[in-house]
Amino acid sequence: MSACGAGMQWQRALSLLSELGEAELEPNAISYSAAASACEKSARWQQALLVLSEMQQGSLECDVICCSSVISACGKGGQWQNALSLLDEMSSTSVEPTAISYSAAISACGAAGLWQDALSLLGDLRKARLEPNVIYLQRGDQRVREG
């Protein structure tokens, strides 16, 4: 599934995830994360949310990699509300957001022109004592670099 993501083959990654169940193999957090990542790389936010939903229905807790991929997919799809909601959900569960999780949400806000929200999240990242990595916020034709 990871190779499918690298090759922008999100449909094939989802098909492989489905085939695991048909082959009576139990998908795990790693397989769901790989499928979510494949969706994220192709900016398929709706499919990424479905992967997350299936994972939760299978009584698996979303790990930080999967959650961050879905946040990023939502951001790429202009779904900043979903991205922020997922980041909030992470904070209220046992899954601690990482700098990557925050960066994905910050990018989602930046792409939507929500600069105050993006800067607020950057402050939250620092309050969580996480070290910001290089974060690029898109603003029209400009890119603002933080980190």
Side-chain angles (χ1 to χ4, degrees):
M1 281 183 257
S2 295
C4 292
M8 307 294 278
Q9 297 294 315
W10 62 273
Q11 301 99 324
R12 184 68 181 132
L14 294 181
S15 177
L16 288 170
L17 183 64
S18 176
E19 289 172 18
L20 283 176
E22 293 169 11
E24 296 183 21
L25 297 171
E26 201 63 35
N28 60 19
I30 295 170
S31 53
Y32 280 107
S33 293
S37 179
C39 293
E40 179 265 330
K41 286 178 175 58
S42 296
R44 297 295 183 162
W45 65 273
Q46 292 159 318
Q47 288 79 10
L49 285 172
L50 286 173
V51 168
L52 178 61
S53 176
E54 285 179 24
M55 184 177 191
Q56 292 168 333
Q57 288 174 2
S59 300
L60 290 173
E61 187 174 285
C62 183
D63 65 4
V64 69
I65 297 168
C66 186
C67 288
S68 297
S69 292
V70 177
I71 290 170
S72 182
C74 288
K76 288 178 180 180
Q79 300 298 308
W80 61 270
Q81 302 96 329
N82 286 329
L84 293 181
S85 176
L86 285 170
L87 185 66
D88 284 342
E89 282 180 36
M90 285 178 74
S91 298
S92 67
T93 66
S94 62
V95 182
E96 289 292 322
T98 64
I100 293 170
S101 310
Y102 278 102
S103 294
I106 289 167
S107 294
C109 289
L114 302 170
W115 298 102
Q116 290 177 335
D117 292 318
L119 291 174
S120 176
L121 286 171
L122 183 59
D124 292 346
L125 180 140
R126 290 183 173 144
K127 284 179 199 168
R129 298 185 184 262
L130 296 171
E131 194 63 36
N133 55 358
V134 176
I135 302 169
Y136 286 102
L137 304 175
Q138 194 82 24
R139 181 179 162 200
D141 291 335
Q142 290 183 309
R143 291 181 84 165
V144 179
R145 182 177 177 197
E146 170 67 38

